[in-house]
Amino acid sequence: MNDLLPDHSPAWQYLERQLRSLVDRYDYREIRTPIVEQTGLFARSIGEATDVVEKEMYTFDDRNGESLTLRPENTASVVRAALEHGLLHNQTQRLWYMGPMFRYERPQKGRYRQFHQIGIEAYGMTGPDIDAEIILLSARLWRQLGMAEHVTLELNSLGTPQARADYRQALVDYFETHRDVLDEDSERRLASNPLRILDSKNPAMAEMLDAAPRLMDHLDDESRDHFERLKATLDAAGIGYRINPRLVRGLDYYSRTVFEWTTTALGSQGTVCGGGRYDGLVEQLGGKPVPAVGFAIGLERLMLLLETLELIPEQAKGGADAYLLAMGDDAERQALMVGERLRDALPDLRLQVHCGGGSFKSQMRRADRSGAALALILGEDEIRDGTLTLKPLRGDGEQETLDIDTTVTRLRSAIDADTRD
Ligand code: ATP
Ligand code: MG
């Protein structure tokens, strides 16, 4: 679990601003649910035989002896909340969430025990158009962040539960004849969750898996049609993709469309975004059947990628516009008030006022460390004349003494020139 320290938080705030503006542009609405739920909710939705439920959940009994779990993902909670508050009754919903998730995994680069996701979820729409919309939304995000050429869309269809059951049998038969190649994990999954074997990254099994029967060949007609129409929309929108017949995703509730955006720039933790359709989930959790589709983006991985590709804009890194320092008793007494006047006049100004006194030299050193572009000096002369001395801390501008109004004008144009995203 990571601490987020002040040097790094501006980059996160930049990313969060980008994400919020993106979901706004598609008119998705935010939903916030608690970070704990009853354990049964996750077992029933994600599936008993998944890695997440089998070994990754933070589960504990509360003081009443009720079993609670820190959410390992947010879709189950969103469905629970939507059912509880009647959000799915004869209506469509376009929702998004952002926040921490918890999984007891082996920590490594791009994989943590507390991590963050932004997810979007669309309820009540059956057709492939909404699948395409959320993929277009994600593609726009990569463009917005300047990283479109570093991610690849992988696409598959899991068909209906019935088609998957037929396929499951074909797959088990195939694996039975290749038992000698199966590793221990896969051996175990053969009975509980054979589809997950396809997802194995074990190179010793790669050849055998490549030759395995394909779910694509077992699709029901409606799922096939859905998939074809989705591909046609993506083609028309100019979104490239790669069909990956082994893409099954780690959670049991998916049906029909599944997709991932992957990158090769992060080593083995290459999945930045994963999603798909989960038409059966609402009913599974006690509601009337409501079709649904969504995805989740792992923010730590996205951040790692942005940093690796050096895509965090310089101005997103923060720092004050100006640092006000004061020399002499009178000036020290008035510095905070001068600071307030400047903030009254300039709501966007980021200003630090020096506190704690000290020599001119030590105050200038702090001004420099603050990252501010400009030092504002308030001394005895300035107090007497109603002025401030402006000393550029970056670049090679000249020091000038200006009245307060002119200082305000000067600061305003400095702020405007600094195009904040
Ligand atoms: P993976 O195959 O990488 O374990 P997953 O199938 O478990 O991913 P999902 O549950 O679909 O992933 O979560 C969506 C995204 O959340 C992942 O693609 C990834 O970017 C991120 N994610 C999942 N688990 C972690 C983790 N432990 N630490 C950081 N990010 C994670
Ligand atoms: Mg996982």
Side-chain angles (χ1 to χ4, degrees):
M1 296 187 182
N2 296 311
D3 294 311
L4 175 60
L5 302 178
D7 276 349
H8 206 190
S9 53
W12 276 84
Q13 289 169 354
Y14 159 74
L15 179 56
E16 288 162 5
R17 277 197 302 279
Q18 293 287 325
L19 292 165
R20 289 207 168 87
S21 89
L22 175 78
V23 290
D24 276 353
R25 295 176 73 184
Y26 289 78
D27 199 26
Y28 281 64
R29 299 188 304 156
E30 185 180 12
I31 181 163
R32 297 187 192 185
T33 60
I35 60 165
V36 289
E37 296 279 351
Q38 292 177 333
T39 303
L41 175 70
F42 300 117
R44 276 185 293 142
S45 54
I46 300 171
E48 296 277 5
T50 56
D51 282 356
V52 170
V53 172
E54 264 184 356
K55 51 188 189 203
E56 295 176 359
M57 298 207 302
Y58 281 93
T59 298
F60 59 96
D61 286 350
D62 73 1
R63 287 173 187 276
N64 266 332
E66 188 173 0
S67 181
L68 301 181
T69 293
L70 297 183
R71 62 183 186 195
E73 58 106 50
N74 206 198
T75 297
S77 314
V78 169
V79 173
R80 197 257 323 129
L83 284 174
E84 203 171 307
H85 301 283
L87 302 188
L88 301 179
H89 192 68
N90 290 331
Q91 55 195 312
T92 60
Q93 290 285 354
R94 285 177 165 86
L95 306 174
W96 68 274
Y97 61 79
M98 180 151 61
M101 309 295 157
F102 303 84
R103 295 184 195 178
Y104 190 81
E105 301 201 69
R106 194 167 68 78
Q108 50 198 291
K109 187 179 169 201
R111 192 177 291 286
Y112 312 101
R113 290 181 171 177
Q114 174 174 337
F115 61 100
H116 296 77
Q117 289 182 335
I118 184 169
I120 69 167
E121 319 234 312
Y123 291 91
M125 290 161 272
T126 17
D129 46 0
I130 187 70
D131 305 24
E133 175 176 287
I134 69 167
I135 291 174
L136 290 176
L137 179 154
S138 55
R140 180 176 296 280
L141 176 64
W142 317 136
R143 292 200 302 275
Q144 201 171 300
L145 295 171
M147 49 174 270
E149 69 271 37
H150 300 280
V151 283
T152 309
L153 175 62
E154 301 195 20
L155 210 55
N156 193 18
S157 174
L158 300 180
T160 57
Q162 183 53 50
R164 211 154 55 245
D166 297 347
Y167 169 67
R168 182 186 163 120
Q169 196 48 54
L171 200 58
V172 170
D173 293 346
Y174 173 80
F175 287 143
E176 294 281 3
T177 65
H178 293 86
R179 262 211 132 104
D180 49 320
V181 199
L182 292 185
D183 58 20
E184 204 182 311
D185 242 12
S186 307
E187 187 77 46
R188 196 171 46 81
R189 284 184 171 135
L190 193 52
S192 61
N193 201 348
L195 262 70
R196 279 295 281 167
I197 299 176
L198 292 174
D199 199 35
S200 166
K201 313 264 180 326
N202 183 347
M205 293 180 12
E207 202 180 321
M208 183 274 291
L209 290 177
D210 279 336
R214 303 192 155 194
L215 182 44
M216 207 54 89
D217 301 327
H218 291 253
L219 283 189
D220 52 289
D221 290 344
E222 269 189 57
S223 296
R224 189 184 308 280
D225 178 58
H226 186 103
F227 197 52
E228 289 308 318
R229 283 158 62 205
L230 170 60
K231 287 191 297 182
T233 308
L234 295 177
D235 290 338
I239 306 287
Y241 52 83
R242 189 173 79 82
I243 305 293
N244 176 359
R246 279 171 50 186
L247 181 64
V248 291
R249 310 286 304 118
L251 316 174
D252 274 359
Y253 50 59
Y254 287 109
S255 58
R256 292 200 171 148
T257 313
V258 286
F259 65 92
E260 287 187 352
W261 286 96
T262 60
T263 175
T264 52
L266 292 181
S268 54
Q269 308 322 324
T271 304
V272 178
C273 169
R277 218 166 232 291
Y278 34 98
D279 291 341
L281 184 60
V282 175
E283 190 179 19
Q284 208 174 307
L285 291 177
K288 297 216 177 78
V290 176
V293 59
F295 68 64
I297 295 173
L299 296 188
E300 279 77 4
R301 284 189 204 172
L302 182 51
M303 183 57 81
L304 271 174
L305 190 56
L306 293 176
E307 285 169 348
T308 307
L309 302 171
E310 297 180 9
L311 289 174
I312 310 286
E314 203 53 42
Q315 72 267 22
K317 290 182 182 160
D321 300 306
Y323 190 99
L324 176 69
L325 49 98
M327 291 311 304
D329 291 346
D330 268 359
E332 267 182 41
R333 267 193 297 276
Q334 290 192 37
L336 284 173
M337 263 66 77
V338 171
E340 291 303 298
R341 272 179 67 192
L342 293 174
R343 293 188 185 101
D344 285 344
L346 295 163
D348 287 337
L349 175 68
R350 258 204 237 179
L351 173 69
Q352 265 200 55
V353 176
H354 181 87
C355 287
S359 68
F360 182 72
K361 209 170 146 199
S362 72
Q363 293 195 36
M364 279 304 284
R365 199 161 38 233
R366 277 229 238 144
D368 207 42
R369 278 201 206 131
S370 76
L374 199 63
L376 306 176
I377 302 161
L378 186 66
E380 278 166 24
D381 295 351
E382 286 85 357
I383 293 278
R384 187 193 59 228
D385 303 340
T387 57
L388 276 169
T389 295
L390 282 62
K391 185 175 165 59
L393 296 170
R394 315 267 171 264
D396 43 22
E398 287 292 307
Q399 172 170 323
E400 308 173 82
T401 298
L402 305 171
D403 62 44
I404 300 280
D405 285 347
T406 316
T407 303
V408 166
T409 310
R410 193 62 66 83
L411 286 171
R412 183 174 290 129
S413 50
I415 297 167
D416 289 347
D418 173 13
T419 46
R420 291 174 192 174
D421 53 278

